[in-house]
Amino acid sequence: MKRRHRINDMRAFGNVVKFVAANIGNQLSPSNISHSLKADNQSVHHATVEKYLDYLVESFLFYRVHRFDIKGKKQLATQEKYYLVDAGLLNILTGREKTTDRGHILENTVYLELLRRGYRIWTGTMRNGEVDFTVKNKNGDIEYYQVTWEISGLETEKREFRSLESIKDNYPKYLLTTESFLQNKNGIIHHNVFEWLLNTVK
């Protein structure tokens, strides 16, 4: 990649790679990456960050996922999310154990499975929140997915269901967690994520 794109400052490039890997599943932009790195005494201009992000996507190390305005039914051009082509690379790229951010790693895994199933994928944006994934399946039908490790706490349960409940259309809405005790609610279908990944859900 260094030779192909003539990257002169490998330290700056490495800092951007580590930052994006550490923030999979978060909304990012060249500007906020640049500002965050600057606050940590790592100066990389936002225009350079933008080029580096393009290189990472073109090299298939990361996937870029655009935002989708659910109410307006249109794609938005800023604050994309990035997912690793292989979540196993996280420890190598960031130098930390994957268990430190298991929720976003699970989200990354679900993204890769949706991609494998041939879906077109966006992150869903609403005025008062977001849904992890808005997808169009092979038939062109819309589906919504919210992913979280568990909803054992009442506040977490309210938050995760609320995101899907706020969508005022009749397309399928799914909540994926690691829990065995499942609770469908207000038309939202709650699946165990491992059964969903194995395509064994009932």
Side-chain angles (χ1 to χ4, degrees):
M1 189 184 300
K2 176 182 178 181
R3 184 176 302 172
R4 177 183 176 188
H5 295 293
R6 298 179 182 178
I7 300 172
N8 296 318
D9 191 343
M10 286 304 295
R11 181 177 180 273
F13 180 72
N15 288 335
V16 172
V17 173
K18 290 177 182 177
F19 186 89
V20 178
N23 286 277
I24 54 174
N26 293 328
Q27 291 182 1
L28 299 175
S29 72
S31 293
N32 64 31
I33 293 174
S34 178
H35 290 156
S36 296
L37 291 174
K38 186 176 182 180
D40 198 30
N41 296 316
Q42 307 170 64
S43 182
V44 188
H45 193 272
H46 67 86
T48 302
V49 173
E50 186 173 8
K51 287 194 299 183
Y52 289 168
L53 291 173
D54 288 340
Y55 298 162
L56 293 170
V57 172
E58 291 169 8
S59 301
F60 300 104
L61 181 60
F62 289 93
Y63 291 104
R64 177 188 285 129
V65 182
H66 294 281
R67 291 189 303 144
F68 187 82
D69 179 353
I70 292 175
K71 184 176 181 180
K73 295 291 187 293
K74 61 181 180 181
Q75 180 173 297
L76 303 175
T78 60
Q79 297 289 323
E80 297 95 345
K81 290 186 177 184
Y82 293 84
Y83 294 97
L84 273 165
V85 66
D86 183 345
L89 294 171
L90 186 61
N91 193 34
I92 298 171
L93 295 176
T94 64
R96 66 184 187 181
E97 292 296 326
K98 295 188 290 294
T99 53
T100 60
D101 198 11
R102 60 186 184 180
H104 278 158
I105 293 170
L106 184 64
E107 188 178 323
N108 200 126
T109 303
V110 169
Y111 170 78
L112 293 176
E113 177 60 19
L114 290 168
L115 196 65
R116 188 193 69 80
R117 294 182 185 185
Y119 293 178
R120 295 181 63 195
I121 310 166
W122 300 265
T123 61
T125 297
M126 300 167 290
R127 178 175 297 178
N128 298 318
E130 66 174 47
V131 173
D132 290 326
F133 300 116
T134 298
V135 308
K136 282 189 178 180
N137 62 28
K138 291 182 178 180
N139 297 322
D141 299 321
I142 294 174
E143 299 174 2
Y144 301 104
Y145 290 86
Q146 190 74 358
V147 184
T148 189
W149 189 262
E150 58 185 13
I151 54 170
S152 54
L154 183 59
E155 285 305 311
T156 304
E157 179 183 336
K158 286 181 179 179
R159 182 180 67 248
E160 300 301 338
F161 274 104
R162 187 186 304 124
S163 296
L164 294 169
E165 288 171 339
S166 62
I167 303 173
K168 303 304 181 184
D169 61 37
N170 295 317
Y171 293 115
K173 304 171 181 67
Y174 300 99
L175 175 62
L176 305 179
T177 75
T178 61
E179 293 151 318
S180 298
F181 178 73
L182 305 176
Q183 43 183 320
N184 297 339
K185 183 179 178 182
N186 295 332
I188 298 166
I189 303 168
H190 184 190
H191 284 318
N192 174 276
V193 68
F194 302 120
E195 292 180 353
W196 180 84
L197 288 167
L198 294 170
N199 208 18
T200 60
V201 293
K202 297 179 181 179

